[in-house]
Amino acid sequence: MAVSTVYPSRAFIDGEQVDAASGETFDSLAPGTGEVLAKVSACGPEDIDRAVRSARAAFEQGSWREMAPADRKKVLLGYADLVEANAAEIARLDAVDAGKPIADCEDFDLPDVVTNIRWYAEAIDKVFGKISPTGPDAVGLINREPVGVVGAVLPWNFPASMVGWKLAPSLAAGNSVIIKPPELAPLSTIRMAELASEAGIPDGVFNVIPGLGEVAGRISGI
C-alpha cells in the first residue's frame, strides 16, 4: 500500500518546502502497523508567523486576488486536474497515514476533492457583485471581496477531503490560505500544497504548517 519510501514531510511556506525553525520533528505513524512513515516538521510560533507574513504579503501584493477571474479559474481548474492525475498517490497517502480503507480513499475522498475544487473554480466568473433595488435617488452596490488570510485547522478522519472543502472556496474568493494538517495524518496535505505550486498558484497563497495541535494549531496574527 505504501506509495514510496520517501513521504512528503516538510512544511510548505512561501512556495518552498522548509524545516521547522526549531529543527524539531514529530513522527507520522501508520496506524495499522505502528511504522514511522516520516519525521514531519514540527512547526511552532516562528513558523506560524512566517507563514502568516508570507500569506499576508501575497494577499496584499495581489498576485492571486487581483488575478483576472478567468485566469484564476483556469489555474484552479488546472490544480484540480493535477490532483486528479495524482489521485492514486494522494489516496494511498491517506490510506497508509490515516488508516482508512484504500477503496474509500480512491472511490469517495479523492473524487470529492477534485469535484470541490472544480465546482468552486467554475463559480469564480459566475458569482459576482450586483446592484440592489433602491429608489431612484440612490444606488446600492453589492461587491464581493476576499477577506484576506484564512487559517484552517483540519481533523484527521478525512485529510484530503478536508483540504478540498476548506481550500477551494477560500482560493476561489481570492484569499490566501494557511492550513494546519492533522498531526495524525499530515502527509496528503503537504503533497497537495506541492501540486498547488506546480499548478501555478502563486507563492504564499497556500501554506502548510504541520505540527502538534496545541502548538501549530494556534494559528494567530492573521
Side-chain angles (χ1 to χ4, degrees), residues 48-49 52 56 218-222:
I48 295 170
D49 288 346
V52 171
R56 176 60 63 182
R218 295 179 177 177
I219 299 178
S220 59
I222 293 176

Side-chain angles (χ1 to χ4, degrees), residues 120-142:
Y120 283 102
E122 289 291 351
I124 290 174
D125 59 0
K126 299 174 183 66
V127 179
F128 41 80
K130 55 187 176 181
I131 299 176
S132 62
T134 60
D137 59 345
V139 175
L141 300 176
I142 298 173

Side-chain angles (χ1 to χ4, degrees), residues 5 8 14 17 30 35 67 74 82 85 93-94 109 119 129 133 136 151 155 207 214:
T5 56
D14 201 26
Q17 300 178 42
E35 171 192 1
M67 187 181 290
K74 182 177 180 180
L82 267 180
L93 283 173
D94 270 3
D109 293 5
W119 194 96
N207 304 276
E214 64 270 23

Side-chain angles (χ1 to χ4, degrees), residues 9-112:
S9 60
R10 304 171 76 195
F12 197 85
I13 301 175
D14 201 26
E16 296 182 342
Q17 300 178 42
V18 297
D19 295 324
S22 66
E24 294 182 2
T25 63
F26 66 95
D27 292 342
S28 184
L29 304 175
T33 63
E35 171 192 1
V36 177
L37 300 172
K39 300 281 187 179
V40 180
S41 299
C43 292
E46 186 174 344
D47 306 293
I48 295 170
D49 288 346
R50 179 182 174 188
V52 171
R53 287 194 302 269
S54 171
R56 176 60 63 182
F59 182 78
E60 292 179 351
Q61 289 164 5
S63 58
W64 181 248
R65 69 179 172 90
E66 293 181 358
M67 187 181 290
D71 294 334
R72 195 161 70 245
K73 169 185 170 180
K74 182 177 180 180
V75 172
L76 208 53
L77 286 173
Y79 178 44
D81 291 343
L82 267 180
V83 172
E84 186 174 49
N86 291 272
E89 176 190 357
I90 299 169
R92 283 164 174 75
L93 283 173
D94 270 3
V96 72
D97 198 23
K100 300 191 64 170
I102 185 61
D104 284 359
C105 297
E106 289 182 333
D107 297 340
F108 298 102
D109 293 5
L110 265 298
D112 178 71

